[in-house]
Amino acid sequence: MTDSLFPKLTSYDAFLTSLKQHVRTAQMRAALAVNQELVLLYWQIGREILQRQQEEGWGTKVIERLAKDLKREFPDIRGFSARNLKYMRSFAEAYPDEQIVQQPAAQIPWFHNCVLLDRVKVPEQRVWYIQQTNQNGWSRAILEMQIESRLYERQGSAVTNFSQTLPQPQSDLAQQLLKDPYHFDFLTLGKEAQERDLERALVERIRNFLLELGAGFSFVGSQYPLEVSGQEYRLDLLFYHLTLRCFVIIDLKMVEFQPEFSGKMNFYVSAVNAILRHPDDQPTIGIILCKSKNKTVAELALQGMTQPIGVSTHKIGQDVPEQLKGIMPTVEQLEMELDTAAAQLEAQKHDGLDT
């Protein structure tokens, strides 16, 4: 016999889902608060070291001694190595204003900040990478990869006609959406590769591709069919951008940009607006992704276009010589071997615990 006082399952499930969300939100807030306190502590330690060195002439050797004394006093607390204390000093030097530490820099993990101190020397760029890390949830490895690929310099540098074809602030947001060039280092294609080869490779590596495109892209399909007046046309790649609230078409080219490419994309964008676009959607955007481009030619080609179009370039990982393709392992084979090695290592650790 069921308990008549027990709520209906649908009501209970909704209640449980709500509680789970509250718990997760509280956990996130707690983790963020702990991180902020840690970063602020490290900044305060770094500031004290910096002030003593500047005002009292302490040398660098004091950091080695300080590390030993702090470890002796707090043996259960990690983070007081000489190397980390030097990072604290550099951190305080990079952010002399405590208010800055309480806002952007304290919102990312400490070792993310260490990466930025090592790799990004311009303060404005450092703040930009912090903001992107917060918005996109980048791990430390992803942050390092984005810095290595010079994402800051590539962002918003594509040739577009967005300022003439899109209203504000949509035009500025769309401009920042595009990069030039796009780095496809995760691909290896031969010199004779065609557009379809590039398309298939990108779809097979869709997670890497989406990461390079940036946050907000949702993959709709490849060779997406559109029927216009009884004739079928196919889009290389179709995405929907969740922040811009619009469709994004990508046309792939393995050659230098040609003016006629813009006319074809103008038609594609018009067709998607007529067939797929919902009344609540923003205007569709087209991206022509070429092997290379002449900036002047691209700018002139876009002047007469009525639809928002951007022209950018792509860089693919180094070509593999034909004579090596048969003997070099594929990425999938390498991943499989790494998984096998990790499993063997884990088994060895368990064997060691049992003995």
Side-chain angles (χ1 to χ4, degrees), residues 30-179:
L32 182 59
V34 170
N35 181 72
Q36 288 175 330
E37 288 298 323
L38 180 67
V39 171
L40 184 58
L41 171 64
Y42 285 171
W43 180 85
Q44 291 169 339
I45 293 173
R47 182 182 60 176
E48 293 293 327
I49 295 173
L50 190 61
Q51 287 178 345
R52 296 297 189 279
Q53 290 183 328
Q54 291 175 343
E55 297 171 3
E56 302 182 29
W58 288 4
T60 56
K61 289 186 178 179
V62 71
I63 292 181
E64 303 286 343
R65 179 175 176 180
L66 192 60
K68 293 179 181 177
D69 290 338
L70 287 174
K71 283 182 180 179
R72 186 180 303 111
E73 181 66 23
F74 305 104
D76 297 329
I77 299 179
R78 301 174 60 186
F80 291 138
S81 66
R83 184 168 181 265
N84 210 33
L85 288 175
K86 291 176 183 177
Y87 272 123
M88 296 177 202
R89 181 191 181 281
S90 299
F91 187 64
E93 192 172 26
Y95 300 98
D97 184 1
E98 183 174 348
Q99 188 66 25
I100 294 178
V101 179
Q102 290 177 342
Q103 294 179 3
Q107 295 172 8
I108 62 174
W110 170 246
F111 287 111
H112 283 60
N113 279 301
C114 294
V115 168
L116 289 169
L117 290 172
D118 282 339
R119 308 285 293 277
V120 182
K121 302 306 178 185
V122 181
E124 293 79 10
Q125 294 186 19
R126 198 180 293 134
V127 171
W128 185 85
Y129 278 111
I130 289 173
Q131 293 170 341
Q132 293 300 310
T133 297
N134 282 327
Q135 291 174 14
N136 302 312
W138 288 344
S139 66
R140 185 170 33 152
I142 295 300
L143 173 61
E144 289 178 324
M145 185 192 75
Q146 300 289 24
I147 295 171
E148 182 70 24
S149 73
R150 304 176 68 86
L151 179 60
Y152 179 85
E153 290 88 343
R154 295 188 290 126
Q155 202 81 12
S157 58
V159 176
T160 76
N161 63 354
F162 293 163
S163 61
Q164 292 81 42
T165 55
L166 289 173
Q168 289 284 2
Q170 187 82 354
S171 59
D172 288 342
L173 293 173
Q175 183 69 43
Q176 292 305 311
L177 166 75
L178 269 66
K179 306 171 187 175

Side-chain angles (χ1 to χ4, degrees), residues 45-335:
I45 293 173
R47 182 182 60 176
E48 293 293 327
I49 295 173
L50 190 61
Q51 287 178 345
R52 296 297 189 279
Q53 290 183 328
Q54 291 175 343
E55 297 171 3
E56 302 182 29
W58 288 4
T60 56
K61 289 186 178 179
V62 71
I63 292 181
E64 303 286 343
R65 179 175 176 180
L66 192 60
K68 293 179 181 177
D69 290 338
L70 287 174
K71 283 182 180 179
R72 186 180 303 111
E73 181 66 23
F74 305 104
D76 297 329
I77 299 179
R78 301 174 60 186
F80 291 138
S81 66
R83 184 168 181 265
N84 210 33
L85 288 175
K86 291 176 183 177
Y87 272 123
M88 296 177 202
R89 181 191 181 281
S90 299
F91 187 64
E93 192 172 26
Y95 300 98
D97 184 1
E98 183 174 348
Q99 188 66 25
I100 294 178
V101 179
Q102 290 177 342
Q103 294 179 3
Q107 295 172 8
I108 62 174
W110 170 246
F111 287 111
H112 283 60
N113 279 301
C114 294
V115 168
L116 289 169
L117 290 172
D118 282 339
R119 308 285 293 277
V120 182
K121 302 306 178 185
V122 181
E124 293 79 10
Q125 294 186 19
R126 198 180 293 134
V127 171
W128 185 85
Y129 278 111
I130 289 173
Q131 293 170 341
Q132 293 300 310
T133 297
N134 282 327
Q135 291 174 14
N136 302 312
W138 288 344
S139 66
R140 185 170 33 152
I142 295 300
L143 173 61
E144 289 178 324
M145 185 192 75
Q146 300 289 24
I147 295 171
E148 182 70 24
S149 73
R150 304 176 68 86
L151 179 60
Y152 179 85
E153 290 88 343
R154 295 188 290 126
Q155 202 81 12
S157 58
V159 176
T160 76
N161 63 354
F162 293 163
S163 61
Q164 292 81 42
T165 55
L166 289 173
Q168 289 284 2
Q170 187 82 354
S171 59
D172 288 342
L173 293 173
Q175 183 69 43
Q176 292 305 311
L177 166 75
L178 269 66
K179 306 171 187 175
D180 191 16
Y182 286 86
H183 285 179
F184 300 150
D185 296 334
F186 51 90
L187 300 181
T188 52
L189 296 175
K191 292 182 179 179
E192 303 302 319
Q194 302 297 312
E195 281 86 358
R196 289 300 301 275
D197 298 318
L198 176 58
E199 177 194 320
R200 279 192 289 266
L202 289 173
V203 173
E204 288 173 359
R205 292 281 170 188
I206 192 64
R207 290 180 64 184
N208 302 79
F209 187 28
L210 288 171
L211 179 62
E212 176 59 11
L213 287 177
F217 279 92
S218 177
F219 181 52
V220 179
S222 63
Q223 290 300 303
Y224 193 91
L226 289 178
E227 186 175 326
V228 180
S229 296
Q231 186 171 346
E232 186 179 79
Y233 299 87
R234 288 186 174 271
L235 311 178
D236 285 351
L237 297 165
L238 182 62
F239 295 86
Y240 189 86
H241 199 275
L242 300 175
T243 303
L244 296 179
R245 310 301 298 179
C246 70
F247 285 103
V248 179
I249 307 166
I250 295 182
D251 199 20
L252 299 171
K253 301 295 181 184
M254 292 295 283
V255 296
E256 185 176 17
F257 173 79
Q258 300 297 320
E260 55 265 30
F261 296 165
S262 58
K264 183 180 178 182
M265 178 58 80
N266 198 72
F267 168 75
Y268 285 162
V269 173
S270 298
V272 169
N273 281 334
I275 299 171
L276 300 179
R277 180 185 171 191
H278 187 274
D280 294 335
D281 289 337
Q282 295 297 321
T284 302
I285 293 171
I287 303 175
I288 305 170
L289 205 49
C290 302
K291 189 172 185 179
S292 61
K293 75 175 187 301
N294 179 288
K295 184 178 180 182
T296 302
V297 172
E299 289 173 342
L300 290 174
L302 295 184
Q303 280 185 10
M305 297 298 109
T306 58
Q307 301 296 345
I309 300 172
V311 179
S312 189
T313 58
H314 58 74
K315 292 189 179 298
I316 301 172
Q318 292 183 349
D319 294 337
V320 180
E322 291 294 332
Q323 62 269 28
L324 294 181
K325 286 185 178 179
I327 61 176
M328 288 186 66
T330 65
V331 175
E332 291 79 6
Q333 289 171 332
L334 287 173
E335 290 177 346

